[in-house]
């Protein structure tokens, strides 16, 4: 089976203990030689300092780092200022997103969609950044229909995105179909599957319901059956996600992007299993 590059995603910790723990987790994960590590960005800029600090630490550790960057609620002036800050830090990669604000909050910003953000970044900074955008093999929950969502994805690529990282999924066919349809629509950039390790059923079910990722019935039932058996859930999760990764590799994916949830154990195990 072919081996492919991997990338790793972290979120900015909220406490000094979390920052310390993430440093240790990163050191364990660097053994996997990731192509880059990315750090998420809270909607409305809520985690800006934590995100940029973590990105700077990763760069200082000698690893390529991508800052996620969401535009909901942002103004052109605030985005311009942050792009300058990121360039001054030496950042060369962005994951450009619209983001979500808690329901009830208006956007109040000058960007409607991620495609507007990508176009703005290109207009302001030319080719200074390699830009990834988000793709949804099982459709973004707010899209009118899959075709409209595909057109929204194409708009992001046409605006200048270099690559796509997908929302996680547990059905490999959804990914392969999505790639076929994207290519037929003229999207030629790499589409990297996002991989979510399974470590807790309640967290996974909550996340998935919110972001529109489907947990197949057989998987949901099995997780519910395992209840509070944390070790059982982890072992079962490794088997399920390991098989998913194998199918993706056999299908010729360009790379794998792991949502680490700031933990190393499952990702190290999965990556080693896949060699
Ligand atoms: P868009 O591409 O703007 O799409 C949003 C919705 O609008 C879609 O339903 C789309 O179909 C529709 N749409 C787009 N353009 C048009 C148009 N012209 N007309 C009509 N409809 C349109 N969130 C964070 O807050 N921080 C993060 O760090 C973060 N990282 C992520 C990383 C990855 C890899 C992924 C997959 C998601 C991430 N998210 C993050 C979540 C993301 O912000 C949400 O899914 C958000 O709801 C959509 O963001 P987007 O960039 O895909 O938006």
């Amino acid at each position: 089976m072919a081996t492919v590059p991997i990338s790793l995603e972290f979120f900015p910790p909220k406490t000094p203990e979390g920052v310390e723990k993430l440093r240790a987790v990163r050191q364990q994960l660097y053994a996997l030689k990731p192509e880059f590590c990315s750090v998420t960005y809270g909607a409305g800029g809520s985690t800006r300092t934590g995100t940029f600090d973590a990105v700077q630490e990763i760069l200082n550790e000698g690893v390529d780092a991508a800052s996620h960057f969401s535009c909901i609620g942002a103004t052109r002036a605030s985005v311009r200022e942050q792009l300058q800050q990121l360039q001054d830090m030496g950042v060369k990669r962005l994951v450009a997103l619209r983001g979500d604000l808690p329901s009830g909050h208006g956007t109040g910003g000058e960007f409607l969609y991620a495609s507007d953000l990508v176009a703005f970044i290109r207009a302001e900074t030319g080719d200074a950044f390699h830009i990834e955008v988000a793709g949804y093999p099982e459709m973004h929950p707010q899209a009118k229909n899959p075709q409209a969502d595909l057109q929204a994805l194409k708009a992001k690529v046409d605006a200048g995105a270099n690559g796509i990282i997908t929302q996680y999924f547990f059905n490999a066919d959804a990914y392969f179909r999505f790639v076929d349809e994207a290519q037929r629509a003229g999207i030629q950039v790499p589409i990297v599957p996002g991989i979510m390790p399974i470590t807790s059923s309640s967290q996974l079910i909550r996340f998935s319901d919110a972001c529109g990722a489907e947990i197949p019935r057989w998987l949901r039932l099995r997780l519910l059956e395992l209840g509070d058996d944390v070790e059982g859930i982890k072992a079962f999760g490794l088997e399920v996600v390991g098989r998913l990764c194998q199918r993706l590799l056999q299908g010729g994916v360009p790379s794998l992007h792991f949502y680490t949830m700031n933990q190393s154990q499952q990702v190290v195990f999965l990556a080693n299993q896949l060699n």
Side-chain angles (χ1 to χ4, degrees):
M1 191 163 37
T3 56
V4 295
I6 63 164
S7 51
L8 305 170
E9 182 171 314
F10 303 109
F11 59 84
K14 290 201 179 86
T15 61
E17 297 75 35
V19 170
E20 272 308 319
K21 183 176 163 253
L22 180 57
R23 285 186 186 130
V25 162
R26 284 200 304 267
Q27 291 306 323
Q28 284 149 7
L29 287 167
Y30 287 163
L32 303 174
K33 303 210 177 343
E35 189 185 11
F36 69 91
C37 294
S38 75
V39 185
T40 61
Y41 182 99
S46 54
T47 68
R48 172 177 169 176
T49 305
T51 300
F52 288 9
D53 286 352
V55 166
Q56 186 71 72
E57 284 197 17
I58 293 167
L59 287 174
N60 293 346
E61 288 159 353
V63 175
D64 203 1
S67 181
H68 291 219
F69 198 99
S70 74
C71 62
I72 200 157
T75 61
R76 285 184 196 82
S78 71
V79 171
R80 187 176 291 125
E81 182 216 320
Q82 291 178 74
L83 290 173
Q84 187 58 55
Q85 189 182 347
L86 288 163
Q87 281 189 284
D88 293 345
M89 288 164 58
V91 177
K92 299 214 159 42
R93 280 179 176 270
L94 297 176
V95 181
L97 304 140
R98 184 196 67 177
D100 290 310
L101 279 183
S103 55
H105 291 65
T107 73
E110 296 177 349
F111 297 86
L112 265 185
Y113 299 112
S115 53
D116 302 328
L117 175 64
V118 176
F120 184 76
I121 297 171
R122 284 288 177 241
E124 290 283 316
T125 64
D127 287 334
F129 294 103
H130 178 101
I131 304 176
E132 310 274 355
V133 291
Y136 302 86
E138 294 172 331
M139 201 182 87
H140 184 265
Q142 289 156 7
K144 245 195 315 191
N145 54 51
Q147 229 355 278
D149 209 25
L150 192 59
Q151 287 314 312
L153 181 65
K154 184 155 188 322
K156 294 191 271 194
V157 175
D158 290 346
N162 304 99
I164 295 161
I165 301 175
T166 76
Q167 186 56 275
Y168 67 88
F169 54 86
F170 297 104
N171 177 354
D173 289 328
Y175 167 82
F176 289 122
R177 190 176 179 82
F178 176 67
V179 171
D180 284 349
E181 287 177 354
Q183 287 172 348
R184 271 204 297 276
I187 294 174
Q188 287 172 353
V189 299
I191 303 181
V192 175
I195 307 296
M196 178 66 90
I198 300 176
T199 52
S200 141
S201 36
S202 54
Q203 190 188 42
L204 184 72
I205 290 170
R206 209 176 49 244
F207 262 37
S208 305
D209 288 347
C211 72
E214 191 187 53
I215 305 182
R217 181 179 152 81
W218 62 270
L219 177 52
R220 191 181 281 255
L221 288 174
R222 194 77 169 80
L223 287 172
L224 290 174
E225 192 182 31
L226 283 162
D228 296 332
D229 176 4
V230 177
E231 289 312 312
I233 291 171
K234 285 186 180 169
F236 174 63
L238 282 175
E239 186 194 322
V240 170
V241 179
R243 277 196 205 176
L244 172 67
C245 290
Q246 274 169 12
R247 263 207 76 194
L248 292 169
L249 289 181
Q250 281 157 1
V253 295
S255 166
L256 296 171
H257 180 80
F258 286 97
Y259 295 105
T260 70
M261 307 305 288
N262 290 7
Q263 296 185 26
S264 60
Q265 204 188 13
Q266 299 264 313
V267 176
V268 167
F269 189 92
L270 284 167
N272 286 335
Q273 193 182 42
L274 298 165
N275 198 15

